[in-house]
Amino acid sequence: MSAATAAALLGLAGLLPAAAVLLGHRLVVVTVRGVSMAPAYRDGDRVLVRRTARPTRGQVLVVERPAVHTRWPSGPLPAGAGARAVSQRQWLIKRLAALPGDPVPEPMLSASPFARPRPPRVPEPMLSAPPLARPRPPRVPEPMLSAPPLARPGPPRVPAGSLVLLGDNPQHSVDSRHFGFYPADRVLGTVVRPLRPARARGQLRSASPRRPGPPAG
């Protein structure tokens, strides 16, 4: 994937940084931008996020948006950071697919460059006709010794301090299939519940009947 393509997809998958509103030190309201989590969350939806350092598998997280082909511009956001620090960073919304120690999910394994390498093919030995020789005495077979079966390597595991994040709409999501394991200390929090979109509130206000004004004099 080219840097331009990845950057375009990141734009589809992001959150509007200016829409992150801090409610105290543990709750944040963010506005979803893009379709990477559709149909669960669509463009323009607002979600309530609880800042936590211990998410569980299957939860939807708001995480800091990684830079494409570059290092992180700054360190992780401090736990007690205020609204200004939160709004100055860019965020993504993704679902937590695997925790440290979990098997790496198949969508990540199937994606390049994380596809499992195939074992090298060993060429079969060439068979050559033996030269004419005197017949050897018959060989007495030795007793068969039962050997343990070859142990198959287990599935790769998520390393410590890392997470696997995937979008619900994989065709329009940039996630761990593209940028690999995600650092756990870059998580802002978990989505608690969706909030009523601003456009719906506007429609309700426009549909409500107006109060009659004072009679004309």
Side-chain angles (χ1 to χ4, degrees), residues 36-196:
S36 70
M37 288 299 294
Y41 302 104
R42 301 181 182 275
D43 182 72
D45 287 349
R46 297 194 311 156
V47 293
L48 183 65
V49 178
R50 178 183 290 114
R51 301 179 69 177
T52 177
R54 292 187 178 182
T56 59
R57 194 184 309 105
Q59 285 183 318
V60 178
L61 307 183
V62 173
V63 300
E64 189 172 356
R65 172 175 164 173
V68 181
H69 301 303
T70 58
R71 296 182 178 180
W72 294 93
S74 57
L77 188 72
R84 183 176 181 182
V86 172
S87 63
Q88 287 178 344
R89 302 203 182 195
Q90 295 182 327
W91 307 97
L92 297 176
I93 181 169
K94 301 295 174 187
R95 194 174 298 277
L96 177 57
L99 291 163
D102 289 346
V104 177
E106 184 60 33
M108 184 176 175
L109 289 177
S110 304
S112 177
F114 302 99
R116 295 179 179 178
R118 296 182 178 179
R121 184 178 179 183
V122 180
E124 298 180 357
M126 297 295 292
L127 299 178
S128 57
L132 296 177
R134 296 179 180 179
R136 296 182 179 181
R139 184 178 179 183
V140 179
E142 298 179 357
M144 296 292 293
L145 298 178
S146 59
L150 296 177
R152 295 182 179 180
R157 302 278 174 172
V158 180
S162 301
L163 306 172
V164 175
L165 305 176
L166 298 175
D168 288 359
N169 189 5
Q171 294 182 349
H172 297 278
S173 176
V174 174
D175 45 43
S176 288
R177 297 170 301 156
H178 307 88
F179 51 69
F181 298 113
Y182 190 87
D185 57 359
R186 297 281 176 171
V187 175
L188 177 66
T190 59
V191 174
V192 178
R193 61 182 177 88
L195 300 175
R196 188 169 56 184

